[in-house]
């Protein structure tokens, strides 16, 4: 687990909300504090997309292949809640690297842990009104003694941010 403080908020927010930089993630949760607090649960309600509903009710991405909504679908909603003349009081996003991307990363790095044992490679983004901090996390289906997937995820995230030109300092 690492914590990275963003050093250029304007650039980071543009990457987060107005580009495809973070579209490799799924949204688990978003909490945004403005005039009131908005909470978005990114878990897909599969029952909403049953075959009994009329096809006209679907939006093309209706029956998600994931249990969480893709960030690419949710970022506009979050952007609409954040934009305006006033800076949000706070926000928190919990993102998961898409499972196929996580598995490919672990295989590419020859991780000794089977990718199916990794529940999520997560990225927590917290803004407290002054600064944004990104924190990595790894969730497993069962307890593991090794920290190898954590280390791989930490390195990969920093390399990804560097490649996208997102400036940060490690805390």
């Amino acid at each position: 687990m690492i914590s990275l403080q963003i050093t250029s908020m304007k650039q980071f927010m543009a990457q987060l909300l107005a580009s495809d930089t973070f579209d490799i993630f799924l949204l688990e949760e978003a909490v945004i504090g403005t005039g009131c607090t908005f909470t978005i649960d990114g878990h897909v309600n599969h029952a909403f997309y049953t075959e009994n509903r009329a096809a006209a009710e679907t939006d093309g991405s209706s029956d998600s292949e994931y249990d969480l909504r893709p960030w690419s679908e949710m970022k506009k909603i979050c952007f609409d809640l954040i934009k305006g003349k006033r800076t949000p009081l706070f926000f928190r996003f919990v993102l998961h690297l898409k499972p196929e991307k996580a598995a490919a990363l672990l295989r590419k790095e020859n991780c000794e842990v089977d990718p199916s044992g990794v529940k999520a490679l997560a990225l927590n983004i917290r803004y407290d009104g002054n600064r944004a901090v990104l924190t990595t996390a790894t969730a497993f289906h069962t307890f593991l003694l090794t920290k190898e997937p954590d280390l791989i995820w930490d390195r990969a995230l920093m390399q990804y941010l560097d490649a996208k030109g997102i400036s940060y300092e490690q805390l």
Side-chain angles (χ1 to χ4, degrees):
M1 180 176 83
I2 56 171
S3 291
L4 309 171
Q5 182 174 325
I6 297 300
T7 56
S8 176
M9 278 301 295
K10 184 174 183 178
Q11 180 226 25
F12 174 71
M13 292 304 290
Q15 294 266 5
L16 180 64
L17 298 171
S19 79
D20 64 354
T21 300
F22 289 87
D23 288 358
I24 60 173
F25 290 95
L26 305 172
L27 177 69
E28 179 182 348
E29 179 184 51
V31 180
I32 301 167
T34 57
C36 57
T37 300
F38 299 91
T39 302
I40 299 171
D41 180 348
H43 290 85
V44 175
N45 293 322
H46 292 287
F48 182 77
Y49 301 108
T50 62
E51 291 181 25
N52 296 334
R53 290 190 170 267
E57 290 182 10
T58 64
D59 63 2
S61 62
S62 60
D63 197 11
S64 177
E65 63 186 292
Y66 306 111
D67 289 330
L68 301 174
R69 272 290 182 222
W71 177 247
S72 60
E73 294 176 10
M74 303 303 294
K75 67 183 172 189
K76 182 179 180 339
I77 295 167
C78 295
F79 178 72
D80 287 343
L81 293 171
I82 290 172
K83 73 179 179 184
K85 294 180 182 178
R86 296 181 186 201
T87 305
L89 297 172
F90 65 88
F91 61 74
R92 179 181 71 244
F93 300 118
V94 179
L95 304 175
H96 292 199
L97 189 63
K98 289 182 177 177
E100 68 275 12
K101 302 267 187 208
L105 171 64
L106 296 174
R107 279 193 296 274
K108 182 182 128 206
E109 296 293 327
N110 297 314
C111 183
E112 66 184 45
V113 174
D114 185 333
S116 66
V118 177
K119 186 174 181 178
L121 299 179
L123 175 62
N124 297 300
I125 303 171
R126 291 182 180 269
Y127 173 73
D128 65 5
N130 295 311
R131 67 183 190 148
V133 174
L134 283 60
T135 307
T136 60
T138 307
F140 302 99
H141 291 287
T142 61
F143 177 76
L144 298 174
L145 289 173
T146 182
K147 294 290 184 190
E148 186 182 15
D150 300 274
L151 298 173
I152 290 170
W153 175 224
D154 295 346
R155 279 193 313 269
L157 179 66
M158 288 190 292
Q159 290 170 352
Y160 186 74
L161 296 175
D162 291 342
K164 295 297 183 178
I166 297 173
S167 57
Y168 61 87
E169 56 188 38
Q170 195 163 351
L171 299 176

